[in-house]
Amino acid sequence: MTPGRPVLPGADKVRRSLVDATDGPRSSARTVVAAYGATSAESGLVPLTIERRMPKPDDVEIDVEYCGLCHSDVHATRGEWGERPWPLVPGHEIVGRVRRVGEDVQSFAVGDRVGVGCMVDSCGECENCLDGVEQFCERGSVLTYGSADPRNGGATTQGGYAQRIVVTERFVLRVPETLDPAEAAPLLCAGITTYSPLRYFGVEPGERVGVAGLGGLGHLAVKLAKAMGAEVTVFTRSPAKAEAARELGADNVVVTSDAAALEAAQRTLDLVLDTVAAAHDVNAYLRTLRLDGALFQLSLPSGTMAPVDPGLLIRRRLSYAGSLIGGIAETQEMLDFCAEHGVAADVELVAAAELNAAYDRMVAGDVAYRFVLDVATLGGASGGTTDSTEGLNRG
C-alpha cells in the first residue's frame, strides 16, 4: 500500500504567476446568463442575472447541463461559514458541453462533454501545484465560487447554478460519454473526495475498508471501494439503512448503537473513511483498525469533537489523517475509473424552483443520496454580450 498520486502531465512547465492579473488586454464584452444564487445570508436562493467573461485564449466556455448540490453550498449561501461576497452563485459539481474554446486550447473542442469541480485555478508553480495537488496550492487555489480570481481582475468567481461558465483549460475535466451526465456531476466533489484517500492509501483487492456514514459521500465511498476489490463495512446510526447499504454493495453493516456489533468489528479493518457530518467520537472507528491502519477524516463537522486517544494510535501504529478533494489529474483518473467500472452517484433531479426545498431536505438528511440541479430549468436570459456591468456580478 504505497501512497501516491497522479501528477498532471506537463505540470513542471506551468509558469504563469497567479498574481499576474493583467496578462495583456481584456475585452470588456461579457455574456449575460441566468442563474440562481443568494443575495444575503437570509435571502435563500433567488433568480439572478450574472455575467461571464468572454473566453481568453486558454479558456473553455461551457453550457452547463447539470450541477450537483453539495452541503457546503448550504453553509456558504446561508452565511454559516461567515460573511460572503454577495450575490453568490454556488455550485462546484458541474457537467456540461463545450460551447467554444480560446485559440490556444488544445485539449477540448466544441461539443465535448466536460466537468468542473471545486477549483478553477491555482498558482501553477508552487511545489504542491507541480506535484499535481492543486487543492493544496501554497498561494491558495481559486475556488469555483466565492473566490477572488487574480488572473481575471480579482472578480468573485460564481458557480454552476448558472447557464454557462468560463474556466481556464487546465481546470476543465473530460467527462466520459458512457457516464450519465446528471449522475456524474456529484463525482466532481463527493466522488473525488472519497476516491482520493482510497487511491492515496493504495487500496487493493481483498483489503477491508470501513465507511462511516451513508450519505452523499458515504454511498460513493462504498461503490468506489467495492470497485477496487475491497471488502466494505458500513457504519451507520440507523438500522433502516442496513438494507440500502447492502444494495450499494456493502459486505457488512454495523449499527453504531449496537455496542456488541461495534466490539465485534474491532481490529478488523485496514482503512476507514469517516464521512459523518455531525460531531462524533472517532475513537470508536479507530478501534476497528488493524495494525498500520488509517482513518481518513473527510467531513468537517460543526461542534466540538471528542479528543483522539493517542494510546489507540500508538498501540497499533495507526494513522489519523485528513483529505481534501483531489488534484486535477487525480480527478480525471477518478472519472475514467468510474466510467470503466460503472460507478456513478444515486441522484434526485431538482428544478431551480425547488432549490430552497432541496437545501432544507439536505439539512434534514432527506435525500438518497445526492440532489442535482437540472440547469435547463433556470429560465431564460438574453445570452447576449454587454459592455455594461452596472448591477451585475462578474465571474
Side-chain angles (χ1 to χ4, degrees):
M1 297 181 293
T2 303
R5 295 178 182 272
V7 177
L8 186 65
D12 58 335
K13 299 178 182 178
V14 177
R15 286 292 183 271
R16 294 184 61 200
S17 172
L18 186 61
V19 298
D20 178 10
T22 57
D23 195 27
R26 293 279 188 271
S27 169
S28 61
R30 290 175 176 266
T31 304
V32 179
V33 300
Y36 258 66
T39 57
S40 72
E42 296 78 33
S43 72
L45 298 175
V46 298
L48 298 172
T49 303
I50 63 171
E51 290 183 331
R52 296 298 195 189
R53 68 179 184 266
M54 299 299 284
K56 299 182 300 179
D58 61 346
D59 277 339
V60 177
E61 184 177 36
I62 302 164
D63 284 326
V64 181
E65 297 175 307
Y66 299 99
C67 187
L69 277 59
C70 180
H71 208 113
S72 60
D73 300 342
V74 179
H75 292 311
T77 57
R78 293 184 175 180
E80 295 168 0
W81 285 346
E83 190 63 21
R84 314 296 293 185
W86 310 108
L88 183 66
V89 175
H92 56 216
E93 299 177 343
I94 302 165
V95 172
R97 293 281 187 188
V98 174
R99 182 182 182 86
R100 58 180 159 175
V101 298
E103 60 190 34
D104 294 341
V105 171
Q106 298 181 3
S107 300
F108 303 99
V110 173
D112 287 348
R113 176 158 278 145
V114 294
V116 178
C118 300
M119 306 174 287
V120 292
D121 208 349
S122 70
C123 80
E125 56 186 19
C126 71
E127 181 179 359
N128 292 340
C129 285
L130 296 178
D131 282 345
V133 285
E134 299 93 340
Q135 73 273 32
F136 301 121
C137 176
E138 293 174 4
R139 300 182 191 176
S141 58
V142 179
L143 302 181
T144 305
Y145 66 87
S147 271
D149 188 351
R151 271 202 273 266
N152 290 286
T156 298
T157 56
Q158 301 289 3
Y161 296 12
Q163 291 174 316
R164 296 182 202 161
I165 191 168
V166 180
V167 181
T168 185
E169 177 184 19
R170 288 194 301 117
F171 283 78
V172 178
L173 297 143
R174 187 173 300 279
V175 177
E177 292 285 351
T178 54
L179 289 173
D180 178 278
E183 295 174 357
L187 300 178
L188 277 305
C189 176
I192 185 58
T193 295
T194 48
Y195 179 88
S196 186
L198 292 169
R199 172 73 162 78
Y200 183 84
F201 195 75
V203 169
E204 298 173 350
E207 292 186 322
R208 299 175 181 178
V209 173
V211 177
L214 196 66
L217 291 178
H219 93 287
L220 282 171
V222 173
K223 292 186 178 188
L224 288 165
K226 284 298 295 182
M228 293 178 182
E231 179 184 319
V232 177
T233 297
V234 167
F235 296 90
T236 177
R237 293 181 302 171
S238 172
K241 288 189 175 182
E243 183 179 351
R246 291 191 174 92
E247 289 176 353
L248 290 167
D251 300 283
N252 310 292
V253 180
V254 174
V255 178
T256 54
S257 59
D258 184 341
L262 265 180
E263 180 156 353
Q266 289 187 17
R267 304 192 184 199
T268 62
L269 304 175
D270 300 296
L271 173 69
V272 173
L273 301 185
D274 187 345
T275 73
V276 178
H280 58 286
D281 186 352
V282 301
N283 294 296
Y285 301 126
L286 288 171
R287 293 187 181 94
T288 69
L289 292 171
R290 304 195 293 186
L291 180 68
D292 291 328
L295 189 155
F296 276 90
Q297 189 70 48
L298 303 183
S299 60
L300 191 61
S302 57
T304 302
M305 296 275 284
V308 173
D309 180 357
L312 293 175
L313 304 180
I314 292 169
R315 284 192 289 272
R316 291 199 295 283
R317 201 163 54 195
L318 304 181
S319 300
Y320 178 43
S323 186
L324 176 67
I325 54 173
I328 296 302
E330 186 173 52
T331 305
Q332 186 63 64
E333 177 187 278
M334 177 273 304
L335 288 169
D336 296 339
F337 178 90
C338 288
E340 179 183 354
H341 295 275
V343 175
D346 289 11
V347 305
E348 180 180 336
L349 281 179
V350 297
E354 301 169 322
L355 281 169
N356 289 302
Y359 273 23
D360 290 338
R361 287 179 57 192
M362 270 200 288
V363 172
D366 179 24
V367 55
Y369 291 93
R370 204 75 168 185
F371 287 120
V372 173
L373 170 65
D374 181 352
V375 174
T377 66
L378 281 178
S382 69
T385 60
T386 179
D387 290 328
S388 172
T389 59
E390 183 176 355
L392 299 173
N393 195 55
R394 299 181 176 185

